[in-house]
Amino acid sequence: MGRYKNNAKAVHDLVRETEVHRDVYIDQEVFDLEMDHLFANTWIYVGHDSQIPNVGDYYGTTIGRQPVLMVRHSDGAVHVLYNRCPHKGTRITIDTCGNAGKFFRCPYHAWSFRTDGSLLAIPLRKGYENTGLDQSEAVKGIAHVKHMKNYRGFVFAKMSDSGPGFEDYFGESLSTIDNMVDRSPAGRLEIAGGVLRYMHNCNWKMLVENLTDTCHPMAAHEASAGTAIEVWKKMAPGANTKHPAVEIYAPFMSPYEFFEKMGIRIWRNGHGHTGVHHSIHSDYSAIPGYFDNMVAAYGETRAKAILDENRHNTSYFPNFTVKGPIQSIRLFKPLAPDKTLAESWTFRLVDAPDALLERTLTYNRLVNAPTSILGHDDLEMYERAQEGLHVDANPWVNIQRLYDPAELEQETAVINGTSEWQMRNQFRAWSKFMTLSM
Amino acid sequence: MSAPTDQDLIGFVVHEARLIDQHRFEEWLDLFAEDGHYWMPLEWGQTDPRLTTSLMYDDKVLLRIRIERLKGNRTFSQKPKSRCHHVLQTPQIETRDEAANQYVTWTPMHYVETRLDEQELYAAWATHTLTMVGGKLKIKLKRVDLVNCDAALRSIQLFM
Ligand SMILES: [Fe+2]
């Protein structure tokens, strides 16, 4: 008998106004409930439709623990299917991406399915005559994830009928995706450069909370960012320009006031972003030709407005994040209470200079790779927390900074950049979507 | 200036791995030419370090930052420190171009990195592009191709 299953009150009690119980990070039963409820009741990012440009293209990934396929059907529409043959359960595809041609063919018994999942043919079909096959699950074809939305190329899906519709769920937070797409003079993004996959032995929510944790960089990243600044001072004293890596690392050492003033915006349903007024991405050197491309596409006023947004991390609850000015996204895939796969993807802005993609990829490599010194700093903290939480003396994790009970009445706000309100916002959403269908 | 012998090239590659295993990073960094790079591709058969992401594409500044960080008093991911171990096959001479002062070797290897109770084993091929500078061999490019370059990897904190 578990403590949390079928016990909405016990799950609710894990989240207090200013602290959360350690079981949200370390308990197997809570994790299982997250997979069954939280990841079913919320809209989960699946992939970008530029990964499947041609008819028959597919991309395999997961929603929570469920293997799924994102596929381009013959009419051009994107479908999200469960990656399971309806016959005997075999995964239809194992490779991450490929082209199915006109139909999927299960490698086990050669049942075939159109790229919208519907059953096309069964070999030796007469063996099913008068067996009532038409009443079976198998004859329905490859099951669809029930709810799916392609928003400007970003494909999201929701497995359960519970929970809000797409627009209601994301609301104003979609402005971050809008801004990233608008940064392309053609208004189009293409996945480019490859994906960095970094295995973390910690709970997925630690990575999410870190996105808006602005009181850690100057402490945890002194090792990498602080060292980068010192090395550059010694190697190029008095230099006017910064080494590209130093330009990326140095802002992590900005003082507390910088992060206080950069601001955080809170949205409904656990979404929010850092970097309202400025961010660590504000002072990068200009990419020659890019601004001209933007002016030609949008006119000067609009081009400036698009590029003046320097949002740092936008956290799309529960496990997806967008960095508009860098054109990168990250997905934190939960594998176990103490195991998370962090995937970091990057985009080419169509019609922008290659030099911009080059900086995007440099950023991704320097910050998100398994070889990243900045990543090493963070992972060490997550994994120490994952171990430290087993201490019985105090089962509560504090998320109290700049707490004001009045915030409970407020759905959106722009606040001090060192507030932990966004972490509280996420946990309030966590509590809501965990128990919505219990 | 006389050209290096095959044995010079082989000895250089073996010595380079030893310096890493013994944490002699100052001497190791000194093996790189001023415009030298250390490259670990992300994709199988990758040809471009610029418009395809890499696991590492470090010039000497970035390598220097890594080495200084490893020593840092507040480098918590190196408390305690990682250790590493190379097993090399005999380096093979790919090309010798004395006129262009460029020598390329190819070395299959196993590399182990450990920290605390965790030990990771990697299989890789190292391709060294070497050149003579002031009578000494220097690294223009050290390329490390992991057999599982596109796998979900744990932290790699030292050098292969
Ligand atoms: Fe960090």
Side-chain angles (χ1 to χ4, degrees), chain A residues 210 216 221 378:
Chain A
N210 183 262
H216 90 281
H221 296 308
D378 280 326

Coordinates of all heavy atoms in Angstrom, one line a residue, chain A residues 210 216 221 378, ligand 1:
Chain A
N210 N 16.3 25.3 -11.5 CA 17.5 26.0 -11.7 C 17.4 27.1 -12.8 O 18.1 28.0 -12.8 CB 18.6 25.0 -12.1 CG 20.0 25.6 -12.3 OD1 20.4 25.9 -13.4 ND2 20.7 25.9 -11.2
H216 N 22.2 31.5 -7.8 CA 23.3 30.4 -7.8 C 24.4 30.7 -8.7 O 25.5 30.3 -8.4 CB 22.7 29.0 -8.1 CG 22.6 28.7 -9.6 ND1 21.7 29.2 -10.4 CD2 23.5 28.0 -10.3 CE1 21.9 28.8 -11.6 NE2 23.0 28.0 -11.6
H221 N 28.9 29.0 -10.1 CA 29.7 29.1 -11.4 C 31.0 29.9 -11.2 O 31.6 30.2 -12.3 CB 28.8 29.6 -12.5 CG 27.7 28.7 -12.8 ND1 27.9 27.3 -13.1 CD2 26.3 28.9 -12.9 CE1 26.7 26.8 -13.3 NE2 25.8 27.7 -13.2
D378 N 26.8 22.8 -12.3 CA 25.4 22.6 -11.9 C 25.1 21.2 -11.5 O 24.5 20.9 -10.5 CB 24.5 23.0 -13.1 CG 24.3 24.5 -13.2 OD1 24.2 25.2 -12.2 OD2 24.2 25.0 -14.4
Ligands
FE1 FE 23.8 27.1 -13.2

